Amino acid sequence: QVQLVESGGGLVQAGGSLRLSCAASGRTISSYTMGWFRQAPGKEREFVAASSWRGGTTYYVDSVKGRFTISRDNAKNMVYLQMNSLKPEDTAVYYCAADYKPTADSNSYYRENYDYWGQGTQVTVSS
């Protein structure tokens, strides 16, 4: 079992930055692809970013490319999402997720492939 706890959400003005953190416990995340998803009110949970076990392979949804960066520190069992140039449409609850395979691929876009989820952290971007 892997427990995931997100933190770092909050209220920020458009154009601002936030850094989300995901603390994992129970198992080392070095064997897991780690992902971030988000869910806005009334919408489906959508993929944001994913990282292979070493961080060398990453995937992003088109709407955040160039603005968000996923990173990880396997020694600390931590995953991060640096979010810059935030827009009101980035407002959502952000979830950390773990997929028990080391290499991210096109399947990493789909939430049903993830085995463990955190409880989420709210990000609100004001215009």
Side-chain angles (χ1 to χ4, degrees), residues 101-114:
K101 69 177 184 185
T103 303
D105 56 27
S106 58
N107 290 321
S108 300
Y109 285 86
Y110 304 101
R111 61 181 186 269
E112 56 265 28
N113 291 322
Y114 288 80

Side-chain angles (χ1 to χ4, degrees), residues 38-85:
R38 66 186 180 186
Q39 188 167 16
K43 294 189 176 181
E44 295 283 326
R45 190 172 299 189
E46 69 167 352
F47 171 79
V48 176
S51 168
S52 291
W53 72 286
R54 281 186 174 178
T57 302
T58 56
Y59 290 85
Y60 297 92
V61 67
D62 285 347
S63 59
V64 309
K65 284 180 181 177
R67 301 189 298 122
F68 291 12
T69 303
I70 186 172
S71 62
R72 59 194 293 165
D73 185 338
N74 291 337
K76 295 182 178 180
N77 246 21
M78 295 290 295
V79 184
Y80 307 98
L81 186 68
Q82 178 66 44
M83 306 187 295
N84 299 327
S85 303

Side-chain angles (χ1 to χ4, degrees), residues 6 20-22 35-37 47-49 70 79-81 94-96:
E6 304 93 336
L20 304 184
S21 298
C22 173
W36 287 95
F37 286 73
F47 171 79
V48 176
I70 186 172
V79 184
Y80 307 98
L81 186 68
Y94 283 71
Y95 297 89
C96 177

